[in-house]
Amino acid sequence: MRRRPMVWVGLLLGVGLLGWYFWPRSVPPPSVVEQPPLHPSSPRILFAERSVPIPEDNPQTPAKVALGRKLFYDTRLSKDNTVACASCHRPEFAFSDGGKAVSTGIFGRKGTRNAPTLTNVGFRRHLFWEGRSPRLELQAVGPLTAHDEMGLEPEELAQRLQAIPEYAQAFQEVFGEPPSLRAVTYAIAAFERTLVSYNSPFDRYQAGDDQALSPAALRGMELFFSEKGDCFHCHVGPDFTDDEPRNTALYTVYKDIGLARATGKDEDVGKFKTPTLRNVALTAPYMHDGSIRTLREVVQHYNRGGEPNLNADALIRPLGLTDQEVDDLVAFLEALTDTSFTTNPALLPPGGKGSTP
């Protein structure tokens, strides 16, 4: 009789242990927003840590950058004193031309191509739409001397700047010589290498802020880096460009023959350089001639597979995206906008908008 309580205690302990063992465990709650996997080509580093390549013959100095910044915003570098570099590359539009299909040069002359953004231009391996210039110092010669852009002969440019005491002194201090076309382009190139932009919602997401992208932008990012969206083959790397010329089947017959103008080759007709997508939402209209007004229309162009063209890039094909997927891709592209870049005081006109030395 004395052993019965011990038996009951043993049975109760046994049942308790079995119940503890077989009782269903609580399942960890799912994450609030399931993040799509990043494509291997998607950058995972903090791009702000990238260093702009500096050519050995044009070392970067604060004084040279300051001089280049003044020149960039100065309309006196044009024949009729109306056009500066910044006239076609405006900071509020990520240094593009703010809604204009083609830019207006001296005496109201119209250009033939859309002014590209200068976002991260120091990283580009090829410049101009067909990529004919390998470096910024050479590229700047084009608009400074072009008939329908700024239109100054080298000697006239040098004499005009030498007559301005502030410039005469600055060129002497920076280059140890009077103003010249070469020194002007070197100073402007030094400033342009400071146009660095890596602080968009996408960058913050890459840095670990899971709330930086909207659900639509996250879906768009997954599409962008997928074979279905097929954007990442050409818009690759930290700046979303491979810097290569491609025919994107914009037209069946191109009025502007693109790369073929430089090479003379039939297979290069209609080829233009892949533009960066950094700040692309600020740089409408789009394509080399500014013929497409909105980002959504650009995505729809690629979704249709473009127009029939013998030189069309092999990647151009109908994508079969739904309207929702088109919207999602646009949302992702908009998330590449860096407003700290367009409002950075160090990149704006020195001394206030429109001021000159």
Side-chain angles (χ1 to χ4, degrees), residues 247-257 269-270 288 301 305-312:
N247 184 317
T248 57
L250 182 60
Y251 301 112
T252 300
V253 178
Y254 280 79
K255 293 180 181 178
D256 183 342
I257 59 176
V269 170
H288 70 279
H301 163 74
E307 303 297 326
N309 191 291
L310 293 175
N311 285 344

Side-chain angles (χ1 to χ4, degrees), residues 81 119 132 140 192 198 200 282 331:
N81 295 297
T119 300
R132 69 179 186 272
E192 290 177 327
Y198 293 113
S200 67
L282 302 177

Side-chain angles (χ1 to χ4, degrees), residues 145-188:
T145 59
H147 172 77
D148 57 359
E149 296 189 52
M150 300 168 82
L152 273 182
E153 295 295 328
E155 287 188 5
E156 185 180 1
L157 172 64
Q159 291 170 2
R160 186 178 290 192
L161 294 178
Q162 180 65 22
I164 302 171
E166 294 87 345
Y167 274 136
Q169 180 179 349
F171 275 92
Q172 198 64 43
E173 291 175 353
V174 172
F175 294 101
E177 61 185 40
S180 64
L181 176 62
R182 175 185 177 279
V184 168
T185 61
Y186 274 49
I188 291 175

Side-chain angles (χ1 to χ4, degrees), residues 69-70 72-73 86 91 191 344-356:
R69 181 183 173 194
K70 288 181 180 178
F72 186 86
Y73 286 100
F191 170 65
N344 183 350
L347 307 180
L348 300 179
K353 187 176 183 180
S355 70
T356 52

